[in-house]
Amino acid sequence: MVIGFTFEEIEPMKKILLVAAMLLCLQIFAQEYKANQKVFIHYQEAWFPGKILKIEKEGYLVSYDDYDESWNEVVQKNRLSLTGKEKFSEEASSSDVEMALEHLSAEDEPIESVNSTTTSDNLNAKLVEVCQCWEKANKSGFLTDKEACLDIQDRHKAAMESGSQEYMEYKEKANNCKTGASTSTSSGKIDMQSKISEVCNCFGEAKRGNRVRVDCLKLQGSLGGAFEEDAEAEYFLQETMKCDQ
């Protein structure tokens, strides 16, 4: 009996072999990082020294040297470096292996389904990026940090159709992150500990010479004045004054 393959059977086999070869090469040459490894982390057009705390499903949880844990965040592999000298590439955050699988499987998926999922994922990714930026900019108070967030917003909106549902949703939620509205609790009450930490972080930065102390005093007065109960305001003032000693 003669064993052979038809033309239709050969094409799927070639695809399978191609996928296997690609995955093997990517696994061999792709840089993998480990927990507790010292790395450089890309943030706002610069590389900062830090460390990988642990590997999570969404990416790498990292900390920045000389910055407190409020700056910890989950980043993708393209934002990590061993030397901090590479040119940063704003590529998709998926791993190389996942990208290869998505590229090859996309041929068999309906175009409508792919576009719908991509639009939703892209919007969420944009909101995560800009909200993380505003969170850090609002804490640092640096004008350069805020300008960087505005640049990110302009870049995101330029990639969307003006007036579309995606555009309007992004504009509303990004503005909430800018004003800090998204950090308020559902009951409308101020989270005491988070506000104390925000002021104490400011005083800590001022002691290291990274901020002006008068800005921290203004922040202290602004947040303290938002408490409706005198007892809460007094407690807030006492706790934050300890950080200024």
Side-chain angles (χ1 to χ4, degrees), residues 43 136 140 147 178 208:
Y43 175 67
K136 294 180 179 181
S140 73
E147 289 177 343
K178 177 182 177 181
R208 290 192 287 269

Side-chain angles (χ1 to χ4, degrees), residues 33-51:
Y33 299 94
K34 302 178 180 179
N36 298 318
Q37 185 175 6
K38 299 290 290 184
V39 293
F40 286 88
I41 309 155
H42 193 274
Y43 175 67
Q44 293 189 6
E45 302 182 1
W47 292 99
F48 292 86
K51 184 177 74 172

Side-chain angles (χ1 to χ4, degrees), residues 140-194:
S140 73
F142 293 150
L143 180 60
T144 53
D145 288 348
K146 295 180 180 180
E147 289 177 343
C149 298
L150 291 174
D151 290 340
I152 291 175
Q153 282 189 216
D154 290 340
R155 172 165 54 82
H156 287 169
K157 290 190 290 187
M160 293 182 280
E161 182 181 353
S162 180
S164 64
Q165 181 178 353
E166 178 191 21
Y167 181 92
M168 299 306 295
E169 181 179 353
Y170 172 86
K171 185 177 179 180
E172 178 184 358
K173 293 184 178 180
N175 186 63
N176 287 341
C177 293
K178 177 182 177 181
T179 60
S182 61
T183 61
S184 61
T185 60
S186 58
S187 63
K189 297 181 180 179
I190 297 175
D191 184 346
M192 173 71 74
Q193 194 54 50
S194 67

Side-chain angles (χ1 to χ4, degrees), residues 30-37 39 41 51-63 72-80 93 95:
Q31 174 64 56
E32 295 296 336
Y33 299 94
K34 302 178 180 179
N36 298 318
Q37 185 175 6
V39 293
I41 309 155
K51 184 177 74 172
I52 296 176
L53 299 178
K54 62 179 180 178
I55 301 174
E56 299 186 344
K57 182 178 179 181
E58 297 79 8
Y60 299 87
L61 177 64
V62 299
S63 63
N72 295 359
E73 62 174 330
V74 176
V75 302
Q76 303 302 317
K77 188 166 64 175
N78 66 317
R79 286 182 58 191
L80 299 177
S93 58
S95 69

